[in-house]
Amino acid sequence: MNESVLRGVHRSACKLIGVMAICTMTIAVAGCGALPGSSSTPSDAVAASSGDSTLDSAVRQIYTKDYTYTKTSVSSYGEETVTVVSQGVVSQSPYREHVKVMSSSSQIWDEAYFYDNGSALLHTESGWQKTRSNRSYPYGHNRKLDVTGTDTNGDVRTYSTRYTENVGKGYGIDDLTATLTQTYRIDADGNLLSIETDLSDLNRVTAIANAMSANGEDRAEAESNAGTAEDHASKETLEIHDLGVTQSIEIPKV
């Protein structure tokens, strides 16, 4: 079962990460969030680090506390815009996650359970299917964030951040990195409200790496064909709800 089935995120390109094929409908880099990149348990997971105690403390909550979420991914391909909206529940001890796709114009599965830091149960047109999947973390997981700006509006504090991802490492290509920009919103009590991640540059750079690796293009040709980040426009918004409220997730018996 490939990662496009596991994550169901609509993007464009094809890549090999570890022993899992990433094909046509999904593109990301291990550890960024859309792909797992880690099998750490919640107790030893490493949250993002920025050097700002308020931001770091707020982000750490989604690795230690139960919560529910709404995730909206919007990607543009020329004149076409693809939107995927999903809702999920996360229980930390033991780790379990239940996801339902609420709205999508292109989706391989419509419901999934992830559990035991390595097991997955997916519902497709063919019914429930068992497979293997590392735990997935939000974008920014285990990365050092560079805070580029802050703003306060009423009781909400907003942090603008960015970090780099070594895309070339997975392809054996030197000096090929992408910059991901993020916006974190935190309430007056220090609770994380949302994370917005711009994936446009990540998609562009991964397209370059794929063209060099799979198609044999040289770097200049691959960069020219990939265009700009605007040609790969994609944003994901993760809204956090019920933070700290105990969640109970029962895995179906199939």
Side-chain angles (χ1 to χ4, degrees):
M1 186 73 66
N2 63 38
E3 281 288 344
S4 59
V5 175
L6 298 180
R7 301 302 300 164
V9 180
H10 186 102
R11 303 200 182 106
S12 61
C14 191
K15 176 180 178 184
L16 187 69
I17 297 181
V19 295
M20 292 186 174
I22 313 301
C23 295
T24 65
M25 301 290 286
T26 183
I27 179 173
V29 175
C32 300
L35 296 180
S38 173
S39 59
S40 299
T41 60
S43 61
D44 63 14
V46 180
S49 173
S50 68
D52 184 290
S53 59
T54 300
L55 175 58
D56 291 349
S57 177
V59 173
R60 194 175 299 114
Q61 295 172 351
I62 58 175
Y63 302 100
T64 59
K65 296 182 178 182
D66 294 1
Y67 63 96
T68 65
Y69 65 83
T70 301
K71 182 184 294 184
T72 304
S73 300
V74 181
S75 301
S76 298
Y77 306 93
E79 297 182 355
E80 180 187 8
T81 299
V82 176
T83 301
V84 179
V85 180
S86 59
Q87 292 182 342
V89 181
V90 175
S91 174
Q92 301 287 6
S93 183
Y95 165 68
R96 291 182 175 182
E97 184 170 356
H98 179 209
V99 186
K100 281 188 175 182
V101 178
M102 310 306 294
S103 174
S104 172
S105 55
S106 178
Q107 192 69 23
I108 297 174
W109 55 263
D110 58 15
E111 187 173 5
Y113 291 86
F114 301 93
Y115 55 101
D116 294 342
N117 291 305
S119 298
L121 188 61
L122 312 177
H123 186 264
T124 69
E125 291 182 352
S126 302
W128 288 103
Q129 300 180 32
K130 290 183 178 180
T131 187
R132 299 290 296 174
S133 171
N134 290 334
R135 177 175 179 176
S136 176
Y137 294 107
Y139 284 101
H141 166 255
N142 201 15
R143 296 296 183 265
K144 180 166 180 58
L145 305 179
D146 176 19
V147 178
T148 58
T150 60
D151 184 49
T152 301
N153 185 359
D155 292 334
V156 177
R157 187 165 180 79
T158 301
Y159 287 82
S160 299
T161 73
R162 64 187 176 194
Y163 69 93
T164 58
E165 192 65 49
N166 186 354
V167 178
K169 183 178 180 180
Y171 295 89
I173 301 172
D174 294 333
D175 193 27
L176 186 60
T177 61
T179 299
L180 289 84
T181 59
Q182 294 187 296
T183 301
Y184 291 82
R185 296 173 63 249
I186 301 170
D187 69 15
D189 295 322
N191 297 313
L192 182 64
L193 300 175
S194 66
I195 306 172
E196 181 181 279
T197 307
D198 190 326
L199 304 168
S200 305
D201 192 51
L202 175 64
N203 291 354
R204 180 189 68 86
V205 174
T206 306
I208 294 170
N210 181 69
M212 295 174 66
S213 178
N215 302 337
E217 297 179 9
D218 62 32
R219 184 157 184 162
E221 181 183 12
E223 290 180 346
S224 176
N225 290 337
T228 66
E230 287 71 22
D231 297 319
H232 302 265
S234 182
K235 284 189 177 182
E236 177 187 283
T237 301
L238 179 67
E239 298 173 79
I240 307 298
H241 314 294
D242 305 317
L243 186 63
V245 177
T246 301
Q247 304 295 330
S248 178
I249 302 173
E250 295 297 326
I251 308 300
K253 298 183 184 299
V254 297

